[in-house]
Amino acid sequence: MNFKRSGAVLGAVAIGAMALTACGSDNNSASNTTTVNSAASNASCEGKSTLSAAGSSAQKNAMDAFASTYIAVCTDKGKDVKVAYNPSGSGDGRTQFIAKQIDFAGSDSAIKGDQAAAAKERCAGNDAWNLPLVFGPVAIAYNLDGVEDLTLNGETLAKIFSGGITKWNDPAIAALNSGVSLPDEPIVPIVRSDSSGTTDNFQQYLTTASGGAWTKGAGSDFVGGVGEGAKGSAGVSQAVAGAPGSITYVEKSFADQNKLAKAQIDTGAGPVALTEETAGKAISGATFKNEGTGDLSLDLNSIFGTSEPGAYPLVLATYEIVCSKGYDADTSAAVKSFLTSAAGEGQADLAAQGYVPLPATVQDKLTASIAAIG
């Protein structure tokens, strides 16, 4: 049966998760009215009725959409299910997963090192898998009067965010923007003042794509040494909106909300604008560190370092961290069912909320890994 998610269904999600989502930082959720064909869903809706998860706030709106879709599908199949997701941050999600306080975690980076070893113990001696379910493009958003089409590259961005380029009419920027009148004005970088997966991914991008111009390293805290700080994605985007001459890195949805101009990125094959299609092209070319194992940890260099024509390279991936085996039967069935729905019909609404739906190349691998969860 085809139907639209009703207000009652969306209300159930909101009420069931109200206490949890109150601690989330940014909210850019869109209305959700996509028609769901529950008969075509591969979700079994079996297993325990309530799933719990926590972690990345970057994927919070995607998880809300996934939960809404899953509830709608399972309700139509005569099953009463709930999904509670707490956007408490990637680090907290991984910690709660290891402590068996939640069924799976959302994380802006793959679990590794000592945490991976601890997760293996939590999973009864089995590996935890990193499953990239949500991709969000990161915009280079700026406020520069009279300049609607700006092109930058990894090297110029690295120098802007480390203090090596301080004026908008710097020769390195001018060389990328032939015919554009660039003002002789200071550049005001706006950066995240709080720890952020977006910051970590941006700095990893600079490390990969700047040709050695970025030497600061990466991490969840901004290490460039310049700029004015603002808290959260909403904070940096609002700061740029109110500060002529400023520039930031922020999820596309927040740039759109604040009507900010977005720079094109030249990866060496010509300027590429940020769109669903160009970001999807970069994701399609992604490779995985542990091919053939079920774990889908991404080789981020394959995205950040792409020179594929028409591919936008600055994309944040968020993972669901799950036990490959070691769940009890009811939890295993529920985790597999929810993730099957999220990787399938759940992708339909993501573009409207600023995310990039999974390309087929990634979706096929993800679906196979989900099916292999024991």
Side-chain angles (χ1 to χ4, degrees):
M1 178 174 73
N2 291 332
F3 59 97
K4 289 188 176 182
R5 298 182 190 90
S6 67
V9 170
L10 290 173
V13 176
I15 293 169
M18 186 178 295
L20 296 175
T21 58
C23 64
S25 55
D26 304 315
N27 184 357
N28 64 323
S29 57
S31 60
N32 199 345
T33 57
T34 298
T35 299
V36 179
N37 184 354
S38 57
S41 173
N42 290 320
S44 69
C45 299
E46 298 296 334
K48 67 180 186 179
S49 60
T50 299
L51 277 173
S52 61
S56 167
S57 60
Q59 68 172 20
K60 186 261 183 189
N61 293 324
M63 291 300 293
D64 287 349
F66 293 155
S68 174
T69 298
Y70 185 57
I71 289 169
V73 165
C74 292
T75 298
D76 198 43
K77 293 184 176 185
K79 302 285 186 177
D80 181 18
V81 298
K82 295 181 178 63
V83 181
Y85 184 79
N86 181 358
S88 57
S90 297
D92 181 68
R94 294 192 299 269
T95 298
Q96 288 196 52
F97 176 74
I98 290 168
K100 294 188 177 182
Q101 295 171 344
I102 53 177
D103 299 317
F104 65 92
S107 178
D108 296 337
S109 57
I111 197 167
K112 56 188 176 183
D114 291 343
Q115 282 195 325
K120 187 169 184 176
E121 183 177 344
R122 178 255 194 270
C123 296
N126 301 286
D127 289 333
W129 282 350
N130 302 280
L131 305 180
L133 182 63
V134 180
F135 289 86
V138 176
I140 302 300
Y142 67 95
N143 181 344
L144 195 57
D145 188 38
V147 180
E148 297 181 359
D149 295 311
L150 178 71
T151 297
L152 298 169
N153 61 11
E155 182 178 358
T156 53
L157 283 167
K159 292 178 178 179
I160 288 169
F161 283 91
S162 61
I165 292 177
T166 60
K167 290 289 190 72
W168 279 109
N169 64 346
D170 186 278
I173 299 177
L176 294 168
N177 293 275
S178 178
V180 177
S181 179
L182 297 167
D184 182 15
E185 294 179 4
I187 299 174
V188 182
I190 305 292
V191 303
R192 290 284 290 267
S193 60
D194 54 329
S195 293
S196 161
T198 308
T199 295
D200 189 17
N201 277 263
F202 178 60
Q203 294 181 137
Q204 289 186 61
Y205 161 74
L206 294 178
T207 300
T208 300
S210 68
W214 182 263
T215 60
K216 304 287 187 175
S220 299
D221 295 317
F222 181 73
V223 294
V226 299
E228 300 178 4
K231 186 175 181 180
S233 300
V236 294
S237 55
Q238 289 165 7
V240 169
S246 60
I247 186 170
T248 195
Y249 54 91
V250 69
E251 293 88 343
K252 176 180 180 293
S253 57
F254 289 93
D256 290 342
Q257 282 178 353
N258 287 276
K259 296 180 173 57
L260 299 177
K262 298 182 287 291
Q264 301 179 100
I265 294 181
D266 190 339
T267 64
V272 182
L274 170 50
T275 67
E276 177 188 336
E277 291 74 23
T278 60
K281 189 169 185 178
I283 298 166
S284 294
T287 59
F288 302 90
K289 294 181 178 179
N290 304 306
E291 195 77 47
T293 66
D295 177 73
L296 297 179
S297 299
L298 290 158
D299 177 0
L300 291 174
N301 287 343
S302 65
I303 298 177
F304 296 152
T306 184
S307 58
E308 181 75 15
Y312 182 87
L314 190 44
V315 179
L316 183 151
T318 61
Y319 298 92
E320 311 317 317
I321 299 173
V322 302
C323 289
S324 59
K325 293 181 175 59
Y327 289 122
D328 62 80
D330 279 347
T331 301
S332 176
V335 168
K336 291 172 70 171
S337 180
F338 171 69
L339 293 180
T340 296
S341 175
E345 60 272 7
Q347 297 292 309
D349 286 332
L350 292 191
Q353 299 188 52
Y355 300 102
V356 182
L358 293 172
T361 52
V362 177
Q363 189 174 37
D364 290 345
K365 292 179 183 294
L366 179 61
T367 300
S369 290
I370 293 168
I373 295 171

